[in-house]
Amino acid sequence: MIIVTGATGFIGSCLISRLNQENFNAIIAVDDFSREDKLVNLEGKRILERVDREDFFDWLDENYHEIEFLFHIGARTDTTEFDRSIFEHLNVEYSKKIWQKCIDYQIPLVYASSAATYGLGELGYDDNEALIPQLKPLNPYGESKNEFDIWVLEQERHPFFWAGLKFFNVYGPNEYHKSRMASVIYHAFCQIKQMGSMKLFRSHHPNFADGEQMRDFIYVKDVIDVCVFLMHHRRNSGIYNLGSGKARTFLDLANNTFLAMGVTPQIEFIDTPEDIRDKYQYYTQATMSKLRSIGYSQHFKSLEEGISDYVKNYLMPENYL
């Protein structure tokens, strides 16, 4: 059996699809299954059992001897949520319990961290574990992810293999339920489809022109490739960046979305909402040498390749992965 937490979510459901393709069908899907808008992400997938996240630890105590691997992808990911107790429960304490169970039952673990831990990038975007305690995330979500990373590095006991993955700006199929937290590519597609034009945030930073803000966008299929690699690799435990390794502008993103849809670009700039303006990352770019150094050699899709696949094969025909 392979456990995937956050199974109905964006990355979790894509991971299950890929595991099914590799003929792993004894999938234990762990999540809060009360949101019907997310359940469609699991349609057609081969899943052995669905376990509510609040019942999961009791279930694991009874079934641990059959577990081969655990992907802990589930988390509260809303960067505009400021109730710290939600993050403390779901992102920190829940993750600590998973860590402990993986030690007790000798289960290898991959868990989701985030590039939100890097804050404004004052210390760069290098996944050097010595720098992690010095990072300054910009919101409670990023703080919760960094708090768990720090806790992990302080532990004397570990699962026999573990990896934390700092996801950068992930986009791709099955993110349709995420509303405001969905990728800019998804929002661009929806706006262009509806109005023939789209809006981008104006720059409020003197060093960046409008639309020239830069992020490391990574296609979800590349994220899943790395997860599957680590499942088979099971060596070189540690915390790793997971981005494309190349920052691209929001104008690049917008123009490629127009291109994939066959629409002439029309872009309007609007003010960044005040509630996130002082917490806005203007530049992110993952240093990917650490993951490469342990033998991961696959090509990461360019923004052009990823957007073309996403738009033409998923968004336009309304398909799921």
Side-chain angles (χ1 to χ4, degrees), residues 115 125 166-171 213-219 241-250 253 281-288 300-301 303:
Y125 299 92
K166 292 193 181 223
F167 297 150
F168 277 67
N169 284 67
V170 188
Y171 67 96
Q213 304 97 315
M214 301 182 78
R215 295 282 178 85
D216 189 331
F217 300 101
I218 181 165
Y219 196 34
N241 279 341
L242 185 41
S244 69
K246 183 163 180 60
R248 298 293 299 273
T249 70
F250 282 94
L253 179 156
Q281 292 174 305
Y282 276 82
Y283 176 88
T284 66
Q285 179 171 283
T287 301
M288 292 303 299
F300 289 115
K301 292 177 180 61
L303 190 64

Side-chain angles (χ1 to χ4, degrees), residues 1 8 24 44 59 82 84 93 98 105 132 141 166 178 192 201 206 209 212 217 223 225 232 256 262 285 298 301:
M1 295 179 182
T8 67
F24 292 101
W59 182 94
F82 288 93
R84 293 175 187 275
E93 295 306 321
I98 284 183
Y105 300 140
I132 287 175
Y141 164 67
K166 292 193 181 223
K178 289 175 67 72
I192 295 165
F201 288 153
E212 296 293 332
F217 300 101
V223 168
D225 284 344
H232 294 302
N256 276 288
Q285 179 171 283
Q298 287 185 236
K301 292 177 180 61

